Amino acid sequence: MNFEFSAEQQELRRQARRFFESEGAMGSARRMFEGAGPHDCELWRRTADLGWLGVTVAEEFGGSALSALFLCVIAEEAGRSLAPIPISSSIYVCEQALGLAGSRDQKAAWLPPLADGSAIGTFAIAEDAGAGGQRLAEGRLSGAWTVVPDGMAADLAIVRVRAPDHNGASLALVRLDMPGVLREPVPTVDPSRQHARILFDNAISEPLDAGEGGERLWSRIADGAAVLFAFEAIGGAEACLKTAVDWASQRKAFGRQIGSFQAVKHKLADIFLAIEIARSNAYYAAWALANDNEALPAAAATARLAANEAYWMAARENLHLHGGLGFTQESECHLHYRRAKLLGVNLGGSRAWRRRLVTEIQAGRTSVER
Amino acid sequence: MKITADHVAFRDTLRRFAEKEINPFVEEWEEAEIFPAHEVFGKLGDLGLLGLTKPEKYGGLGLDYSYEVIMTEELGRIPCGGIPMAVGVQTDMATPALARFGSDELCREFLAPAIAGDMVACIGVSEPGAGSDVAAIKTHARIDGDDLVINGGKLWITNSLQADWMCCLVNIGDEAPHRNKSLVIVPMKLKGVEIAKKIRKIGMNSSDTGQIFFDEVRVPRRHIIGEQGRGFTYQMIQFQEERLWSVASALGPMERSIEKTIEYTRERKIFGKPVLHNQVVHFTLAELQTEIEAVRALLYRATELYVGGDDVTLLASMAKLKAARLQREVADKCLQYWGGNGFTWENPVSRFYRDGRLMSIGGGADEVMLSIISKKMDIMPRPQAAPNP
């Protein structure tokens, strides 16, 4: 078992960090926050040009056929810079899902445009509770789903359609530019990443879960995505810690650097600790993902929970440490504060993931048991 | 809740008493894992301190519950948890239902001597198979003419090695669990009452804890407190005082731990300065003191409402939950600042660390408090509903 990233992957990390910095991803996140667009299209195109959106896609579909570990590295750096691009929806979830379960035709149709960024994919798992009446029959999908990430810009969505009694589900692949698809923006806590409510009215769809059962397939998709989400969160958490440490070293109060107060420096140490724990969990989960190991479900849940916790703590404390400044929109603090919340709920909240972890522990499928 | 000159007078009386009659012997009693309850209670009874809120016709002082709260806070200044707990069992756990619902005859026979300190009382609710889940108790009594014949047993019973009587929760008949229970006064010297063992505990050592078995124990039916079948309700009412008492009893040890820790860390130097001068130390102590005051405010509010005749089950449960958790936190954090000393047996904070662990378990565990609060908020699923997904 080797938990180290390879020299190549480390090099990609350096490159990605430089790239997102020089592209001004953070400034772009602020512009998107202020309403400049659903996401930064230019940054998305340039990221695609580097081949980073298709690193794990098979060569025959325009990708580089590399291990998921490469994608973990990119996710971390995207998180660090708050890059306002639909990478989590389109790549961590939609593209990975097609790679995992798509038919040959589905792969041929969608993987190349997803990998070169010309198409954007997303996923819809939250039924709009008020609407009701979600149904899927004979290739036609009806019903409303809400808080669909990047839903206004996406060309394609994987929609989880649960049976009325929530016993079992199907995954439907739906083109969003077809008749019978209506969408409207849904404001969320993080306006730098736009979300949508999508109403399907007898929209054409095709099944993604041939033979496997949608609930089970969704779990597999979510496990892989959770690892990538975790890396993105860890990147964000580290950015918050760095900002906090810089600020604590520079800002003076009562005649001293505020970082010299134990109430401040111990807090910074606690954040560091939370991040390191999350990182260890994420490395293990990345290893399980890259090696298709049976520990993945438990490892992915653990990584996701730990990373969300670390990001939330780092973002919250960073904002608090900046005092009045942290409470203003001019500071960057609130952008992370919002993103941390967003990443925490996008793939299902912590309660759902805790429950998932409990299921794995009960089934004895955790590393502890072996 | 207003603290009057009368409250202060009682507090001072108790303080002087404790300094002379209790504190000098605490080490000895802790070592012996028991204390002379009849002797100590007799003296407390002479001062009227065992019946502050009880009716005057049975020797009580007929004061409102705020006096009990102030007295219990002061009891908490005693340098161990066991003695205050033993007193609390006598005044606030074993006797409230008797005083409120018991017949005149029963009160004269058992309540009056408990208030005088001539008899030691204990409360029998928990059993091997039912602690916090009171409805699940198995001890039962069958009616035989004018008598009850009791079989079963009780566990974790404070004062039981010395007690003269137990306020015992038993099932009579086959009604539903909430309607078949009665509180019965069981004299402990009767045939068939076996004090099976003295239980060793991690703390509260000066207070004795026993396991009791009942084998065909015969008591008159008139020993039932109030109406037969209302025992569960009476016990739930009685629990209000037990819980308010618990909260009041926690304040003293918490504050004493903080004071002792301040004294120690002010003297103790590390890296050239007093430990207390580390921000993490004085900030932590400041925050804990703040939380103690918040719990006190909640206790006083609940007490005021209780004195006014309200049902305070919700507030009392909230206060107990918070106080119990805070007690553990205060003990743990204070102990840390004593370094190696904190880990030793005789350290004042380490005793509190051990004694204070009980409150989250006894008198309804933290989880039971959460259930009660959930029920009162009407967010607890009904038993027949599907389990959590």
Side-chain angles (χ1 to χ4, degrees):
Chain A
M1 217 185 265
N2 181 7
F3 292 123
E4 278 298 299
F5 283 96
S6 70
E8 250 181 313
Q9 289 151 0
Q10 298 285 14
E11 178 49 37
L12 177 64
R13 180 199 304 284
R14 281 187 285 277
Q15 203 188 336
R17 190 173 303 186
R18 276 198 306 274
F19 170 77
F20 286 122
E21 252 171 41
S22 65
E23 293 290 320
M26 177 62 95
S28 171
R30 174 178 295 286
R31 286 195 301 282
M32 298 307 127
F33 172 79
E34 286 162 355
H39 62 264
D40 186 337
C41 300
E42 182 59 20
L43 182 63
W44 182 242
R45 192 181 59 73
R46 293 169 71 89
T47 309
D49 287 348
L50 290 163
W52 291 351
L53 303 183
V55 280
T56 64
V57 172
E59 285 175 356
E60 58 178 317
F61 301 122
S64 323
L66 293 168
S67 132
L69 296 175
F70 286 87
L71 197 50
C72 291
V73 166
I74 293 167
E76 185 176 337
E77 296 312 315
R80 190 185 310 278
S81 66
L82 277 174
I85 52 177
I87 189 167
S88 54
S89 323
S90 196
I91 308 305
Y92 310 165
V93 179
C94 195
E95 184 186 88
Q96 297 294 309
L98 281 162
L100 208 59
S103 68
R104 189 157 177 86
D105 285 351
Q106 287 168 336
K107 286 181 181 173
W110 288 108
L111 285 178
L114 288 174
D116 71 15
S118 59
I120 292 170
T122 187
F123 59 104
I125 54 172
E127 297 96 348
D128 193 340
Q134 286 85 4
R135 67 177 184 278
L136 174 66
E138 291 162 12
R140 296 289 181 158
L141 177 66
S142 293
W145 276 258
T146 192
V147 285
V148 180
D150 307 302
M152 294 307 288
D155 304 284
L156 172 74
I158 293 169
V159 183
R160 181 177 61 177
V161 192
R162 288 196 271 201
D165 58 358
H166 281 202
N167 196 4
S170 311
L171 294 189
L173 202 58
V174 194
R175 282 182 64 150
L176 299 178
D177 59 349
M178 301 294 277
V181 180
L182 278 172
R183 37 188 165 169
E184 59 185 1
V186 174
T188 71
V189 66
D190 181 5
S192 72
R193 291 286 301 277
Q194 204 170 46
H195 285 62
R197 177 177 182 273
I198 307 186
L199 178 69
F200 300 101
D201 179 13
N202 229 18
I204 298 170
S205 75
E206 46 186 280
L208 181 68
D209 55 329
E212 182 174 4
E215 203 58 65
R216 197 178 134 77
L217 174 58
W218 174 252
S219 293
R220 288 209 291 142
I221 294 167
D223 286 341
V227 182
L228 296 159
F229 269 88
F231 275 95
E232 187 169 330
I234 288 166
E238 283 202 339
C240 292
L241 178 59
K242 179 172 188 312
T243 314
V245 170
D246 289 350
W247 178 249
S249 314
Q250 163 204 334
R251 170 76 179 175
K252 287 203 169 69
F254 305 108
R256 299 157 56 173
Q257 290 171 336
I258 59 171
S260 67
F261 290 106
Q262 286 176 330
V264 172
K265 64 184 172 189
H266 289 187
K267 188 70 83 182
L268 296 173
D270 287 343
I271 298 170
F272 179 77
L273 184 64
I275 293 173
E276 286 306 306
I277 288 169
R279 184 174 286 288
S280 301
N281 281 310
Y283 276 27
Y284 179 54
W287 170 85
L289 175 64
N291 292 282
D292 203 13
N293 186 280
E294 61 176 345
L296 179 62
T302 311
R304 174 161 173 78
L305 289 166
N308 284 347
E309 186 53 42
Y311 194 9
W312 176 237
M313 178 185 185
R316 185 183 69 210
E317 296 302 337
N318 180 40
L319 190 150
H320 186 76
L321 190 63
H322 278 73
L325 187 64
F327 198 61
T328 66
Q329 293 215 348
E330 282 92 302
S331 87
E332 287 170 4
C333 301
H334 72 102
L335 296 173
H336 279 291
Y337 188 74
R338 293 163 190 276
R339 184 64 62 84
K341 209 58 189 156
L342 180 79
L343 293 182
V345 297
N346 247 188
L347 198 64
S350 63
R351 188 164 165 265
W353 284 92
R354 283 206 162 79
R355 202 161 57 217
R356 187 145 168 63
L357 184 55
V358 167
T359 309
E360 291 301 308
I361 293 168
Q362 282 174 332
R365 286 188 299 264
T366 60
S367 55
V368 185
E369 296 295 320
R370 278 193 288 276
Chain B
M1 197 176 110
K2 192 167 159 41
I3 314 265
T4 64
D6 284 352
H7 287 100
V8 174
F10 276 111
R11 188 167 65 193
D12 291 347
T13 305
L14 178 61
R15 180 172 300 182
R16 281 194 301 275
F17 174 80
E19 280 169 2
K20 184 160 163 278
E21 304 287 349
I22 297 178
N23 298 356
F25 308 102
V26 160
E27 298 306 323
E28 180 189 332
W29 296 338
E30 282 280 306
E31 185 79 23
E33 297 186 8
I34 195 161
F35 78 108
H38 284 91
E39 184 190 327
V40 174
F41 285 7
K43 290 174 182 168
L44 280 167
D46 291 346
L47 294 169
L49 294 173
L50 294 178
L52 292 181
T53 65
K54 298 297 191 296
E56 288 170 74
K57 63 173 170 172
Y58 304 120
L61 297 178
L63 298 166
D64 69 51
Y65 198 75
S66 64
Y67 286 86
E68 196 69 55
V69 166
I70 298 301
M71 171 170 124
T72 305
E73 271 194 59
E74 185 56 39
L75 272 178
R77 308 291 303 178
I78 293 170
C80 70
I83 306 300
M85 179 172 71
V87 175
V89 165
Q90 180 91 350
T91 56
D92 288 77
M93 300 176 209
T95 50
L98 175 60
R100 201 155 158 180
F101 304 107
S103 67
D104 180 56
E105 187 187 8
L106 207 55
C107 286
R108 287 188 191 286
E109 196 175 342
F110 294 102
L111 181 61
I115 291 170
D118 297 333
M119 279 188 178
V120 173
C122 63
I123 171 80
V125 176
S126 290
E127 296 181 1
S132 292
D133 180 7
V134 173
I137 63 155
K138 294 278 180 276
T139 297
H140 63 92
R142 69 170 191 275
I143 296 171
D144 181 15
D146 283 340
D147 287 346
L148 293 172
V149 182
I150 303 173
N151 283 284
K154 296 288 172 182
L155 190 58
W156 322 128
I157 308 306
T158 301
N159 291 353
S160 63
L161 274 77
Q162 312 181 64
D164 298 286
W165 56 268
M166 175 189 286
C167 173
C168 183
L169 190 69
V170 303
N171 296 323
I172 305 177
D174 303 323
E175 289 247 38
H178 296 93
R179 290 201 299 272
N180 71 345
K181 294 192 170 39
S182 298
L183 284 172
V184 178
I185 302 293
V186 181
M188 296 291 282
K189 305 288 188 292
L190 287 182
K191 179 162 174 279
V193 177
E194 184 198 350
I195 298 168
K197 74 173 170 193
K198 178 178 172 186
I199 297 163
R200 299 200 70 197
K201 312 179 295 294
I202 68 167
M204 296 289 196
N205 282 346
S206 45
S207 158
D208 51 293
T209 308
Q211 176 165 19
I212 310 298
F213 289 126
F214 301 119
D215 178 19
E216 294 284 301
V217 177
R218 191 170 281 272
V219 299
R221 272 177 83 174
R222 60 178 180 80
H223 277 205
I224 296 174
I225 295 175
E227 284 176 52
Q228 181 184 322
R230 298 263 292 149
F232 188 84
T233 307
Y234 295 160
Q235 185 53 39
M236 291 302 125
I237 293 169
Q238 182 160 262
F239 267 145
Q240 291 185 84
E241 289 193 9
E242 173 164 350
R243 284 169 194 158
L244 291 173
W245 183 90
S246 298
V247 179
S249 77
L251 298 173
M254 288 197 282
E255 290 188 325
R256 201 171 149 272
S257 294
I258 288 180
E259 285 162 20
K260 291 273 175 200
T261 303
I262 290 170
E263 277 171 30
Y264 178 75
T265 54
R266 210 191 281 286
E267 292 301 315
R268 172 75 181 173
K269 290 195 171 56
I270 189 164
F271 304 122
K273 62 178 180 183
V275 171
L276 185 63
H277 287 192
N278 285 284
Q279 195 174 51
V280 67
V281 179
H282 56 258
F283 272 22
T284 299
L285 295 173
E287 184 143 8
L288 292 173
Q289 187 67 48
T290 306
E291 298 211 33
I292 292 169
E293 285 304 332
V295 169
R296 177 177 276 122
L298 181 55
L299 169 68
Y300 284 7
R301 181 165 162 241
T303 302
E304 196 167 302
L305 289 169
Y306 187 63
V307 168
D310 287 24
D311 179 323
V312 293
T313 301
L314 176 63
L315 287 182
S317 303
M318 287 173 162
K320 176 171 179 293
L321 172 72
K322 193 72 192 155
R325 294 195 161 163
L326 183 59
Q327 191 161 239
R328 286 152 69 183
E329 189 184 346
V330 168
D332 186 53
K333 286 186 167 164
C334 285
L335 191 143
Q336 182 70 20
Y337 298 142
W338 289 73
N341 281 313
F343 197 58
T344 60
W345 191 258
E346 266 108 32
N347 182 276
V349 176
S350 88
R351 178 176 294 157
F352 172 53
Y353 179 85
R354 293 181 284 110
D355 291 351
R357 188 63 183 80
L358 180 62
M359 193 178 164
S360 277
I361 301 169
D366 286 358
E367 292 75 11
V368 172
M369 297 305 110
L370 288 166
S371 297
I372 292 169
I373 295 162
S374 301
K375 274 184 201 151
K376 293 278 174 187
M377 290 170 71
D378 200 20
I379 54 174
M380 180 103 144
R382 303 271 183 272
Q384 66 269 28
N388 278 338

